[in-house]
Amino acid sequence: MGSLKARIVSVGTALPETIRDNFYFEKYLDTSDDWITQRTGIKTRHVWENPPVDANAQLGAKAAERALTKAGITATDVDTIICATFTPDQLMPSTAADIANKLGVKGAFAFDISAACSGFVFGLTMANSLLISGQSKRVLLIGSEVISRSVDWNDRGTCLLFGDGAGAVVLELSNSEAGILSAETYVDGSLGELLKLSLWGEDDHLEMNGKSVYRHAVTLMPEQVRRAMAKAEITIDDVDLLIPHQANARIIEKVGEELGIDPSKVIVNVDKYGNTSSATIPIALEETWEAGRIKENTIIAITALGGGITAGAAIIRF
Ligand code: UT7
C-alpha cells in the first residue's frame, strides 16, 4: 500500500474537424512547408473555422464526456471540474462553469486555471492536492483551447504553430502504488512579456518572442523533470515514457537529450496537432494509452512550459 495520491482513471480528447496543412500558409505568407517542418516538426493542426461563442466549452465538454465514458461514470459522479485554458470563451462565467452546465452538473466546485501551456500540469497539481486533502472525491481536469481565435493570421512567427483541441482526465484518490508520485510548478512573472495575449487594444492577439521562449523551454522543462524525479525518489532510468508539452519537435528532442532519456521513450505528436497549449499533454496521453503503451506500473514524466513564464513537471505511475 502506498501513500494517498491522485490517480488518472481515464482520458478523453476532442478536436475540431478542419485540418490545416503547411501548404495553406504557403499560399499567403512568406513561409514554406520545408521551413515549418524543419524548424518545428509541425505538418498539420486542427482549426475550428467560424467557431461559435462557446467553442472552448463545447470542445472541453466533448473531451470530458469521452473521459467520463471511459471511466464508466457519469458527470454527476464528479464533484470538481477544473479547466485549464488561456483562450476562454469569455472572462466570466468561467469555462469550467459552462462545461459543468453542458455536462448537466450543478453544485460542483468548478473553476478555470490560467497557466497557459503549463495549465495541465498546474491543474494536475491542484487536483492531486484537492483529492489528498479530502476536499474533492473525483476531479475532472480539462485542458481546452481555441487558439485560432486569438492569433494574428498574418504573423508567421505564431499563427502556424498553434492548433485547437481539448483533452480531459478523470482523477480519483488512490491508496495503491499508482498515482501522481510528485509534481513541480514554477512561475517567473518577470518574463511575462515573452509570451502574452492582451485583453485590450491593438495587441489583442497572441505575441511571442519565439527564440527566447525556446531557450527557456529547453532549460526549464528538464530542470522541472529533474526536480519532480528527485521528489519522487526515482531516476531517469525509472521513467518509461516522457510526455513533454508539444510546441516544437526540436524543443522536445533537446529536452530528451538533456535528460538522457532514450528517444524511443519520448512521445511526439506535434506533427499532427501543432501546439494546443494546455491540451497537448492529455491529447498525447490518450494516443499513448490507446496505442497500448501504458500498462500497470508504467511511469510517465510530463512537463510543460508556457506564458508566465510558467513551467512544471509531474511523475505519474499508472
Ligand atoms: O507553448 C508555449 C511555448 N512556445 C514555444 O515553446 C515556442 C518556442 N519557439 C519556437 O518554437 C521557435 O523559436 C520558432 C518555431 C517560433 C522559431 O524557430 P527559430 O528556429 O527560433 O527561428 P528564428 O525565429 O530564429 O528565425 C530563423 C529565421 C529568421 O530569418 P533570418 O533572420 O535568419 O533571415 C526568421 O525571420 O527564419 C525566419 N522565420 C521564418 N521563415 C519562414 C521565422 N518564422 C518563419 C516562418 N517561415 N514561419
Side-chain angles (χ1 to χ4, degrees), residues 183-221:
E184 279 289 317
T185 51
Y186 175 96
V187 178
D188 182 352
S190 73
L191 300 172
E193 289 295 314
L194 297 182
L195 182 47
K196 64 174 191 175
L197 174 56
S198 301
L199 264 183
W200 298 283
E202 285 171 15
D203 298 334
D204 59 351
H205 51 250
L206 190 149
E207 293 172 272
M208 178 169 73
N209 179 334
K211 258 210 153 15
S212 197
V213 172
Y214 188 106
R215 275 199 301 274
H216 289 289
V218 297
T219 51
L220 276 172
M221 284 198 279

PDB file of all heavy atoms in Angstrom, residues 183-221:
ATOM      1  N   ALA A 183       4.857  16.397  -8.093  1.00  0.00           N
ATOM      2  CA  ALA A 183       4.531  17.462  -9.047  1.00  0.00           C
ATOM      3  C   ALA A 183       5.342  18.695  -8.695  1.00  0.00           C
ATOM      4  O   ALA A 183       5.568  18.986  -7.516  1.00  0.00           O
ATOM      5  CB  ALA A 183       3.041  17.775  -8.998  1.00  0.00           C
ATOM      6  N   GLU A 184       5.798  19.385  -9.713  1.00  0.00           N
ATOM      7  CA  GLU A 184       6.588  20.604  -9.541  1.00  0.00           C
ATOM      8  C   GLU A 184       5.968  21.707 -10.392  1.00  0.00           C
ATOM      9  O   GLU A 184       5.555  21.456 -11.540  1.00  0.00           O
ATOM     10  CB  GLU A 184       8.018  20.375 -10.042  1.00  0.00           C
ATOM     11  CG  GLU A 184       8.912  19.670  -9.048  1.00  0.00           C
ATOM     12  CD  GLU A 184       9.286  20.537  -7.855  1.00  0.00           C
ATOM     13  OE1 GLU A 184       9.595  21.722  -8.042  1.00  0.00           O
ATOM     14  OE2 GLU A 184       9.250  20.012  -6.722  1.00  0.00           O
ATOM     15  N   THR A 185       5.904  22.911  -9.855  1.00  0.00           N
ATOM     16  CA  THR A 185       5.403  24.039 -10.652  1.00  0.00           C
ATOM     17  C   THR A 185       6.342  25.222 -10.484  1.00  0.00           C
ATOM     18  O   THR A 185       7.060  25.320  -9.474  1.00  0.00           O
ATOM     19  CB  THR A 185       3.991  24.450 -10.187  1.00  0.00           C
ATOM     20  OG1 THR A 185       4.011  24.631  -8.777  1.00  0.00           O
ATOM     21  CG2 THR A 185       2.950  23.414 -10.552  1.00  0.00           C
ATOM     22  N   TYR A 186       6.303  26.127 -11.453  1.00  0.00           N
ATOM     23  CA  TYR A 186       7.280  27.221 -11.489  1.00  0.00           C
ATOM     24  C   TYR A 186       6.676  28.404 -12.230  1.00  0.00           C
ATOM     25  O   TYR A 186       6.052  28.213 -13.280  1.00  0.00           O
ATOM     26  CB  TYR A 186       8.518  26.717 -12.234  1.00  0.00           C
ATOM     27  CG  TYR A 186       9.600  27.739 -12.495  1.00  0.00           C
ATOM     28  CD1 TYR A 186      10.680  27.867 -11.642  1.00  0.00           C
ATOM     29  CD2 TYR A 186       9.552  28.556 -13.630  1.00  0.00           C
ATOM     30  CE1 TYR A 186      11.688  28.784 -11.901  1.00  0.00           C
ATOM     31  CE2 TYR A 186      10.551  29.483 -13.890  1.00  0.00           C
ATOM     32  CZ  TYR A 186      11.622  29.588 -13.024  1.00  0.00           C
ATOM     33  OH  TYR A 186      12.612  30.489 -13.274  1.00  0.00           O
ATOM     34  N   VAL A 187       6.851  29.615 -11.689  1.00  0.00           N
ATOM     35  CA  VAL A 187       6.447  30.831 -12.401  1.00  0.00           C
ATOM     36  C   VAL A 187       7.543  31.877 -12.261  1.00  0.00           C
ATOM     37  O   VAL A 187       8.090  32.068 -11.172  1.00  0.00           O
ATOM     38  CB  VAL A 187       5.130  31.434 -11.848  1.00  0.00           C
ATOM     39  CG1 VAL A 187       4.783  32.730 -12.584  1.00  0.00           C
ATOM     40  CG2 VAL A 187       3.966  30.472 -11.994  1.00  0.00           C
ATOM     41  N   ASP A 188       7.870  32.537 -13.372  1.00  0.00           N
ATOM     42  CA  ASP A 188       8.743  33.713 -13.330  1.00  0.00           C
ATOM     43  C   ASP A 188       8.039  34.838 -14.083  1.00  0.00           C
ATOM     44  O   ASP A 188       8.146  34.950 -15.311  1.00  0.00           O
ATOM     45  CB  ASP A 188      10.105  33.405 -13.958  1.00  0.00           C
ATOM     46  CG  ASP A 188      11.052  34.599 -13.876  1.00  0.00           C
ATOM     47  OD1 ASP A 188      10.594  35.696 -13.478  1.00  0.00           O
ATOM     48  OD2 ASP A 188      12.232  34.445 -14.213  1.00  0.00           O
ATOM     49  N   GLY A 189       7.297  35.639 -13.315  1.00  0.00           N
ATOM     50  CA  GLY A 189       6.498  36.718 -13.905  1.00  0.00           C
ATOM     51  C   GLY A 189       7.321  37.827 -14.538  1.00  0.00           C
ATOM     52  O   GLY A 189       6.792  38.615 -15.329  1.00  0.00           O
ATOM     53  N   SER A 190       8.623  37.878 -14.228  1.00  0.00           N
ATOM     54  CA  SER A 190       9.461  38.912 -14.847  1.00  0.00           C
ATOM     55  C   SER A 190       9.643  38.638 -16.336  1.00  0.00           C
ATOM     56  O   SER A 190      10.080  39.504 -17.086  1.00  0.00           O
ATOM     57  CB  SER A 190      10.823  38.997 -14.142  1.00  0.00           C
ATOM     58  OG  SER A 190      11.621  37.884 -14.491  1.00  0.00           O
ATOM     59  N   LEU A 191       9.279  37.420 -16.777  1.00  0.00           N
ATOM     60  CA  LEU A 191       9.428  37.048 -18.188  1.00  0.00           C
ATOM     61  C   LEU A 191       8.078  37.075 -18.925  1.00  0.00           C
ATOM     62  O   LEU A 191       7.941  36.499 -20.002  1.00  0.00           O
ATOM     63  CB  LEU A 191      10.053  35.650 -18.293  1.00  0.00           C
ATOM     64  CG  LEU A 191      11.446  35.494 -17.660  1.00  0.00           C
ATOM     65  CD1 LEU A 191      11.875  34.027 -17.656  1.00  0.00           C
ATOM     66  CD2 LEU A 191      12.460  36.340 -18.422  1.00  0.00           C
ATOM     67  N   GLY A 192       7.107  37.749 -18.321  1.00  0.00           N
ATOM     68  CA  GLY A 192       5.755  37.779 -18.878  1.00  0.00           C
ATOM     69  C   GLY A 192       5.648  38.309 -20.290  1.00  0.00           C
ATOM     70  O   GLY A 192       4.783  37.894 -21.065  1.00  0.00           O
ATOM     71  N   GLU A 193       6.541  39.246 -20.634  1.00  0.00           N
ATOM     72  CA  GLU A 193       6.471  39.877 -21.958  1.00  0.00           C
ATOM     73  C   GLU A 193       6.814  38.908 -23.104  1.00  0.00           C
ATOM     74  O   GLU A 193       6.510  39.187 -24.264  1.00  0.00           O
ATOM     75  CB  GLU A 193       7.448  41.072 -22.020  1.00  0.00           C
ATOM     76  CG  GLU A 193       7.003  42.266 -21.193  1.00  0.00           C
ATOM     77  CD  GLU A 193       5.710  42.902 -21.700  1.00  0.00           C
ATOM     78  OE1 GLU A 193       5.593  43.112 -22.922  1.00  0.00           O
ATOM     79  OE2 GLU A 193       4.818  43.154 -20.871  1.00  0.00           O
ATOM     80  N   LEU A 194       7.448  37.800 -22.773  1.00  0.00           N
ATOM     81  CA  LEU A 194       7.926  36.894 -23.829  1.00  0.00           C
ATOM     82  C   LEU A 194       6.803  36.189 -24.578  1.00  0.00           C
ATOM     83  O   LEU A 194       6.963  35.764 -25.715  1.00  0.00           O
ATOM     84  CB  LEU A 194       8.865  35.833 -23.240  1.00  0.00           C
ATOM     85  CG  LEU A 194      10.161  36.334 -22.621  1.00  0.00           C
ATOM     86  CD1 LEU A 194      11.001  35.167 -22.130  1.00  0.00           C
ATOM     87  CD2 LEU A 194      10.938  37.164 -23.646  1.00  0.00           C
ATOM     88  N   LEU A 195       5.692  36.021 -23.890  1.00  0.00           N
ATOM     89  CA  LEU A 195       4.579  35.274 -24.489  1.00  0.00           C
ATOM     90  C   LEU A 195       3.315  35.791 -23.844  1.00  0.00           C
ATOM     91  O   LEU A 195       3.099  35.585 -22.644  1.00  0.00           O
ATOM     92  CB  LEU A 195       4.798  33.773 -24.190  1.00  0.00           C
ATOM     93  CG  LEU A 195       3.835  32.734 -24.716  1.00  0.00           C
ATOM     94  CD1 LEU A 195       3.521  32.941 -26.178  1.00  0.00           C
ATOM     95  CD2 LEU A 195       4.435  31.351 -24.525  1.00  0.00           C
ATOM     96  N   LYS A 196       2.499  36.523 -24.626  1.00  0.00           N
ATOM     97  CA  LYS A 196       1.327  37.110 -23.974  1.00  0.00           C
ATOM     98  C   LYS A 196       0.156  37.307 -24.939  1.00  0.00           C
ATOM     99  O   LYS A 196       0.327  37.360 -26.159  1.00  0.00           O
ATOM    100  CB  LYS A 196       1.703  38.421 -23.296  1.00  0.00           C
ATOM    101  CG  LYS A 196       2.152  39.504 -24.235  1.00  0.00           C
ATOM    102  CD  LYS A 196       2.347  40.797 -23.443  1.00  0.00           C
ATOM    103  CE  LYS A 196       2.538  41.948 -24.390  1.00  0.00           C
ATOM    104  NZ  LYS A 196       2.610  43.229 -23.736  1.00  0.00           N
ATOM    105  N   LEU A 197      -1.004  37.421 -24.334  1.00  0.00           N
ATOM    106  CA  LEU A 197      -2.231  37.690 -25.069  1.00  0.00           C
ATOM    107  C   LEU A 197      -2.950  38.797 -24.304  1.00  0.00           C
ATOM    108  O   LEU A 197      -3.503  38.552 -23.228  1.00  0.00           O
ATOM    109  CB  LEU A 197      -3.084  36.418 -25.138  1.00  0.00           C
ATOM    110  CG  LEU A 197      -4.463  36.524 -25.753  1.00  0.00           C
ATOM    111  CD1 LEU A 197      -4.414  37.095 -27.163  1.00  0.00           C
ATOM    112  CD2 LEU A 197      -5.133  35.150 -25.782  1.00  0.00           C
ATOM    113  N   SER A 198      -2.888  40.022 -24.854  1.00  0.00           N
ATOM    114  CA  SER A 198      -3.504  41.156 -24.168  1.00  0.00           C
ATOM    115  C   SER A 198      -5.014  41.129 -24.332  1.00  0.00           C
ATOM    116  O   SER A 198      -5.537  40.571 -25.286  1.00  0.00           O
ATOM    117  CB  SER A 198      -2.977  42.467 -24.742  1.00  0.00           C
ATOM    118  OG  SER A 198      -1.581  42.519 -24.603  1.00  0.00           O
ATOM    119  N   LEU A 199      -5.683  41.767 -23.392  1.00  0.00           N
ATOM    120  CA  LEU A 199      -7.148  41.799 -23.447  1.00  0.00           C
ATOM    121  C   LEU A 199      -7.661  42.938 -24.301  1.00  0.00           C
ATOM    122  O   LEU A 199      -8.670  42.830 -24.965  1.00  0.00           O
ATOM    123  CB  LEU A 199      -7.701  41.997 -22.035  1.00  0.00           C
ATOM    124  CG  LEU A 199      -8.124  40.788 -21.260  1.00  0.00           C
ATOM    125  CD1 LEU A 199      -8.705  41.219 -19.929  1.00  0.00           C
ATOM    126  CD2 LEU A 199      -9.131  39.975 -22.025  1.00  0.00           C
ATOM    127  N   TRP A 200      -6.970  44.070 -24.250  1.00  0.00           N
ATOM    128  CA  TRP A 200      -7.497  45.243 -24.895  1.00  0.00           C
ATOM    129  C   TRP A 200      -6.477  45.868 -25.840  1.00  0.00           C
ATOM    130  O   TRP A 200      -5.284  45.647 -25.685  1.00  0.00           O
ATOM    131  CB  TRP A 200      -7.900  46.295 -23.865  1.00  0.00           C
ATOM    132  CG  TRP A 200      -8.982  45.819 -22.971  1.00  0.00           C
ATOM    133  CD1 TRP A 200     -10.304  45.736 -23.283  1.00  0.00           C
ATOM    134  CD2 TRP A 200      -8.852  45.353 -21.627  1.00  0.00           C
ATOM    135  NE1 TRP A 200     -11.014  45.243 -22.204  1.00  0.00           N
ATOM    136  CE2 TRP A 200     -10.149  45.000 -21.178  1.00  0.00           C
ATOM    137  CE3 TRP A 200      -7.782  45.195 -20.756  1.00  0.00           C
ATOM    138  CZ2 TRP A 200     -10.404  44.506 -19.909  1.00  0.00           C
ATOM    139  CZ3 TRP A 200      -8.032  44.701 -19.485  1.00  0.00           C
ATOM    140  CH2 TRP A 200      -9.332  44.365 -19.072  1.00  0.00           C
ATOM    141  N   GLY A 201      -6.943  46.649 -26.759  1.00  0.00           N
ATOM    142  CA  GLY A 201      -6.062  47.423 -27.620  1.00  0.00           C
ATOM    143  C   GLY A 201      -5.724  46.691 -28.894  1.00  0.00           C
ATOM    144  O   GLY A 201      -6.306  45.650 -29.215  1.00  0.00           O
ATOM    145  N   GLU A 202      -4.749  47.258 -29.594  1.00  0.00           N
ATOM    146  CA  GLU A 202      -4.382  46.693 -30.890  1.00  0.00           C
ATOM    147  C   GLU A 202      -3.656  45.364 -30.768  1.00  0.00           C
ATOM    148  O   GLU A 202      -3.562  44.604 -31.721  1.00  0.00           O
ATOM    149  CB  GLU A 202      -3.487  47.690 -31.647  1.00  0.00           C
ATOM    150  CG  GLU A 202      -4.265  48.862 -32.203  1.00  0.00           C
ATOM    151  CD  GLU A 202      -3.354  49.929 -32.751  1.00  0.00           C
ATOM    152  OE1 GLU A 202      -2.170  49.642 -32.958  1.00  0.00           O
ATOM    153  OE2 GLU A 202      -3.840  51.055 -32.957  1.00  0.00           O
ATOM    154  N   ASP A 203      -3.102  45.121 -29.588  1.00  0.00           N
ATOM    155  CA  ASP A 203      -2.293  43.913 -29.419  1.00  0.00           C
ATOM    156  C   ASP A 203      -3.104  42.740 -28.869  1.00  0.00           C
ATOM    157  O   ASP A 203      -2.558  41.875 -28.190  1.00  0.00           O
ATOM    158  CB  ASP A 203      -1.120  44.192 -28.465  1.00  0.00           C
ATOM    159  CG  ASP A 203      -0.202  45.252 -29.019  1.00  0.00           C
ATOM    160  OD1 ASP A 203      -0.165  45.390 -30.243  1.00  0.00           O
ATOM    161  OD2 ASP A 203       0.462  45.927 -28.215  1.00  0.00           O
ATOM    162  N   ASP A 204      -4.405  42.714 -29.155  1.00  0.00           N
ATOM    163  CA  ASP A 204      -5.212  41.668 -28.542  1.00  0.00           C
ATOM    164  C   ASP A 204      -5.115  40.352 -29.316  1.00  0.00           C
ATOM    165  O   ASP A 204      -6.102  39.704 -29.605  1.00  0.00           O
ATOM    166  CB  ASP A 204      -6.670  42.119 -28.377  1.00  0.00           C
ATOM    167  CG  ASP A 204      -7.305  42.489 -29.700  1.00  0.00           C
ATOM    168  OD1 ASP A 204      -6.563  42.550 -30.703  1.00  0.00           O
ATOM    169  OD2 ASP A 204      -8.523  42.695 -29.728  1.00  0.00           O
ATOM    170  N   HIS A 205      -3.902  39.995 -29.671  1.00  0.00           N
ATOM    171  CA  HIS A 205      -3.642  38.682 -30.234  1.00  0.00           C
ATOM    172  C   HIS A 205      -2.357  38.138 -29.598  1.00  0.00           C
ATOM    173  O   HIS A 205      -1.597  38.884 -28.994  1.00  0.00           O
ATOM    174  CB  HIS A 205      -3.523  38.752 -31.753  1.00  0.00           C
ATOM    175  CG  HIS A 205      -2.574  39.808 -32.225  1.00  0.00           C
ATOM    176  ND1 HIS A 205      -2.981  40.949 -32.874  1.00  0.00           N
ATOM    177  CD2 HIS A 205      -1.238  39.916 -32.094  1.00  0.00           C
ATOM    178  CE1 HIS A 205      -1.930  41.708 -33.120  1.00  0.00           C
ATOM    179  NE2 HIS A 205      -0.863  41.106 -32.665  1.00  0.00           N
ATOM    180  N   LEU A 206      -2.177  36.852 -29.774  1.00  0.00           N
ATOM    181  CA  LEU A 206      -1.033  36.207 -29.127  1.00  0.00           C
ATOM    182  C   LEU A 206       0.280  36.733 -29.705  1.00  0.00           C
ATOM    183  O   LEU A 206       0.443  36.806 -30.920  1.00  0.00           O
ATOM    184  CB  LEU A 206      -1.148  34.703 -29.367  1.00  0.00           C
ATOM    185  CG  LEU A 206      -0.212  33.779 -28.600  1.00  0.00           C
ATOM    186  CD1 LEU A 206      -0.926  32.450 -28.371  1.00  0.00           C
ATOM    187  CD2 LEU A 206       1.068  33.520 -29.352  1.00  0.00           C
ATOM    188  N   GLU A 207       1.192  37.104 -28.814  1.00  0.00           N
ATOM    189  CA  GLU A 207       2.512  37.589 -29.246  1.00  0.00           C
ATOM    190  C   GLU A 207       3.580  36.743 -28.567  1.00  0.00           C
ATOM    191  O   GLU A 207       3.450  36.424 -27.381  1.00  0.00           O
ATOM    192  CB  GLU A 207       2.710  39.039 -28.802  1.00  0.00           C
ATOM    193  CG  GLU A 207       1.796  40.023 -29.490  1.00  0.00           C
ATOM    194  CD  GLU A 207       1.936  41.391 -28.847  1.00  0.00           C
ATOM    195  OE1 GLU A 207       1.213  41.643 -27.872  1.00  0.00           O
ATOM    196  OE2 GLU A 207       2.782  42.169 -29.306  1.00  0.00           O
ATOM    197  N   MET A 208       4.613  36.407 -29.317  1.00  0.00           N
ATOM    198  CA  MET A 208       5.657  35.561 -28.720  1.00  0.00           C
ATOM    199  C   MET A 208       7.038  35.941 -29.228  1.00  0.00           C
ATOM    200  O   MET A 208       7.232  36.160 -30.417  1.00  0.00           O
ATOM    201  CB  MET A 208       5.381  34.085 -29.059  1.00  0.00           C
ATOM    202  CG  MET A 208       6.436  33.143 -28.512  1.00  0.00           C
ATOM    203  SD  MET A 208       5.980  31.413 -28.637  1.00  0.00           S
ATOM    204  CE  MET A 208       6.155  31.159 -30.384  1.00  0.00           C
ATOM    205  N   ASN A 209       7.982  35.987 -28.308  1.00  0.00           N
ATOM    206  CA  ASN A 209       9.389  36.089 -28.662  1.00  0.00           C
ATOM    207  C   ASN A 209       9.896  34.638 -28.732  1.00  0.00           C
ATOM    208  O   ASN A 209      10.358  34.071 -27.747  1.00  0.00           O
ATOM    209  CB  ASN A 209      10.143  36.882 -27.587  1.00  0.00           C
ATOM    210  CG  ASN A 209      11.630  36.991 -27.896  1.00  0.00           C
ATOM    211  OD1 ASN A 209      12.194  36.153 -28.586  1.00  0.00           O
ATOM    212  ND2 ASN A 209      12.246  38.023 -27.375  1.00  0.00           N
ATOM    213  N   GLY A 210       9.723  34.048 -29.922  1.00  0.00           N
ATOM    214  CA  GLY A 210       9.966  32.613 -30.103  1.00  0.00           C
ATOM    215  C   GLY A 210      11.332  32.148 -29.652  1.00  0.00           C
ATOM    216  O   GLY A 210      11.453  31.154 -28.932  1.00  0.00           O
ATOM    217  N   LYS A 211      12.358  32.884 -30.045  1.00  0.00           N
ATOM    218  CA  LYS A 211      13.738  32.466 -29.721  1.00  0.00           C
ATOM    219  C   LYS A 211      13.978  32.390 -28.220  1.00  0.00           C
ATOM    220  O   LYS A 211      14.589  31.457 -27.720  1.00  0.00           O
ATOM    221  CB  LYS A 211      14.722  33.483 -30.327  1.00  0.00           C
ATOM    222  CG  LYS A 211      15.362  32.972 -31.586  1.00  0.00           C
ATOM    223  CD  LYS A 211      16.742  33.529 -31.805  1.00  0.00           C
ATOM    224  CE  LYS A 211      17.617  32.596 -32.632  1.00  0.00           C
ATOM    225  NZ  LYS A 211      16.990  31.533 -33.363  1.00  0.00           N
ATOM    226  N   SER A 212      13.487  33.423 -27.525  1.00  0.00           N
ATOM    227  CA  SER A 212      13.692  33.487 -26.082  1.00  0.00           C
ATOM    228  C   SER A 212      12.886  32.389 -25.367  1.00  0.00           C
ATOM    229  O   SER A 212      13.396  31.737 -24.448  1.00  0.00           O
ATOM    230  CB  SER A 212      13.298  34.878 -25.602  1.00  0.00           C
ATOM    231  OG  SER A 212      13.823  35.112 -24.358  1.00  0.00           O
ATOM    232  N   VAL A 213      11.631  32.223 -25.794  1.00  0.00           N
ATOM    233  CA  VAL A 213      10.805  31.181 -25.180  1.00  0.00           C
ATOM    234  C   VAL A 213      11.463  29.812 -25.403  1.00  0.00           C
ATOM    235  O   VAL A 213      11.516  28.970 -24.498  1.00  0.00           O
ATOM    236  CB  VAL A 213       9.365  31.200 -25.758  1.00  0.00           C
ATOM    237  CG1 VAL A 213       8.561  30.007 -25.262  1.00  0.00           C
ATOM    238  CG2 VAL A 213       8.652  32.495 -25.381  1.00  0.00           C
ATOM    239  N   TYR A 214      11.996  29.628 -26.594  1.00  0.00           N
ATOM    240  CA  TYR A 214      12.700  28.382 -26.939  1.00  0.00           C
ATOM    241  C   TYR A 214      13.818  28.105 -25.923  1.00  0.00           C
ATOM    242  O   TYR A 214      13.938  27.007 -25.385  1.00  0.00           O
ATOM    243  CB  TYR A 214      13.286  28.533 -28.341  1.00  0.00           C
ATOM    244  CG  TYR A 214      13.884  27.291 -28.946  1.00  0.00           C
ATOM    245  CD1 TYR A 214      13.230  26.599 -29.967  1.00  0.00           C
ATOM    246  CD2 TYR A 214      15.118  26.803 -28.516  1.00  0.00           C
ATOM    247  CE1 TYR A 214      13.776  25.471 -30.534  1.00  0.00           C
ATOM    248  CE2 TYR A 214      15.673  25.674 -29.086  1.00  0.00           C
ATOM    249  CZ  TYR A 214      15.004  25.015 -30.092  1.00  0.00           C
ATOM    250  OH  TYR A 214      15.543  23.894 -30.648  1.00  0.00           O
ATOM    251  N   ARG A 215      14.632  29.141 -25.667  1.00  0.00           N
ATOM    252  CA  ARG A 215      15.764  28.973 -24.752  1.00  0.00           C
ATOM    253  C   ARG A 215      15.293  28.592 -23.347  1.00  0.00           C
ATOM    254  O   ARG A 215      15.871  27.718 -22.703  1.00  0.00           O
ATOM    255  CB  ARG A 215      16.606  30.256 -24.689  1.00  0.00           C
ATOM    256  CG  ARG A 215      17.638  30.356 -25.804  1.00  0.00           C
ATOM    257  CD  ARG A 215      18.725  31.360 -25.446  1.00  0.00           C
ATOM    258  NE  ARG A 215      18.195  32.693 -25.197  1.00  0.00           N
ATOM    259  CZ  ARG A 215      17.975  33.592 -26.157  1.00  0.00           C
ATOM    260  NH1 ARG A 215      18.249  33.308 -27.403  1.00  0.00           N
ATOM    261  NH2 ARG A 215      17.480  34.777 -25.861  1.00  0.00           N
ATOM    262  N   HIS A 216      14.240  29.252 -22.884  1.00  0.00           N
ATOM    263  CA  HIS A 216      13.723  28.914 -21.549  1.00  0.00           C
ATOM    264  C   HIS A 216      13.129  27.504 -21.534  1.00  0.00           C
ATOM    265  O   HIS A 216      13.265  26.775 -20.554  1.00  0.00           O
ATOM    266  CB  HIS A 216      12.675  29.937 -21.103  1.00  0.00           C
ATOM    267  CG  HIS A 216      13.279  31.264 -20.767  1.00  0.00           C
ATOM    268  ND1 HIS A 216      14.044  31.460 -19.642  1.00  0.00           N
ATOM    269  CD2 HIS A 216      13.260  32.449 -21.410  1.00  0.00           C
ATOM    270  CE1 HIS A 216      14.471  32.712 -19.600  1.00  0.00           C
ATOM    271  NE2 HIS A 216      14.005  33.337 -20.668  1.00  0.00           N
ATOM    272  N   ALA A 217      12.481  27.127 -22.636  1.00  0.00           N
ATOM    273  CA  ALA A 217      11.840  25.806 -22.695  1.00  0.00           C
ATOM    274  C   ALA A 217      12.864  24.681 -22.561  1.00  0.00           C
ATOM    275  O   ALA A 217      12.654  23.726 -21.807  1.00  0.00           O
ATOM    276  CB  ALA A 217      11.065  25.665 -24.008  1.00  0.00           C
ATOM    277  N   VAL A 218      13.989  24.808 -23.263  1.00  0.00           N
ATOM    278  CA  VAL A 218      14.954  23.701 -23.251  1.00  0.00           C
ATOM    279  C   VAL A 218      15.765  23.624 -21.953  1.00  0.00           C
ATOM    280  O   VAL A 218      16.433  22.627 -21.710  1.00  0.00           O
ATOM    281  CB  VAL A 218      15.906  23.734 -24.481  1.00  0.00           C
ATOM    282  CG1 VAL A 218      15.109  23.570 -25.776  1.00  0.00           C
ATOM    283  CG2 VAL A 218      16.733  25.014 -24.519  1.00  0.00           C
ATOM    284  N   THR A 219      15.692  24.669 -21.126  1.00  0.00           N
ATOM    285  CA  THR A 219      16.372  24.564 -19.831  1.00  0.00           C
ATOM    286  C   THR A 219      15.376  24.280 -18.698  1.00  0.00           C
ATOM    287  O   THR A 219      15.629  23.442 -17.843  1.00  0.00           O
ATOM    288  CB  THR A 219      17.167  25.852 -19.490  1.00  0.00           C
ATOM    289  OG1 THR A 219      16.309  26.975 -19.648  1.00  0.00           O
ATOM    290  CG2 THR A 219      18.367  26.028 -20.384  1.00  0.00           C
ATOM    291  N   LEU A 220      14.242  24.982 -18.731  1.00  0.00           N
ATOM    292  CA  LEU A 220      13.307  24.842 -17.601  1.00  0.00           C
ATOM    293  C   LEU A 220      12.593  23.486 -17.567  1.00  0.00           C
ATOM    294  O   LEU A 220      12.367  22.935 -16.491  1.00  0.00           O
ATOM    295  CB  LEU A 220      12.265  25.965 -17.636  1.00  0.00           C
ATOM    296  CG  LEU A 220      12.697  27.278 -16.986  1.00  0.00           C
ATOM    297  CD1 LEU A 220      11.671  28.375 -17.259  1.00  0.00           C
ATOM    298  CD2 LEU A 220      12.878  27.106 -15.478  1.00  0.00           C
ATOM    299  N   MET A 221      12.222  22.958 -18.737  1.00  0.00           N
ATOM    300  CA  MET A 221      11.499  21.673 -18.706  1.00  0.00           C
ATOM    301  C   MET A 221      12.367  20.537 -18.145  1.00  0.00           C
ATOM    302  O   MET A 221      11.909  19.823 -17.237  1.00  0.00           O
ATOM    303  CB  MET A 221      10.888  21.356 -20.067  1.00  0.00           C
ATOM    304  CG  MET A 221       9.639  22.195 -20.337  1.00  0.00           C
ATOM    305  SD  MET A 221       8.598  21.536 -21.636  1.00  0.00           S
ATOM    306  CE  MET A 221       9.474  22.144 -23.059  1.00  0.00           C
TER     307      MET A 221
END
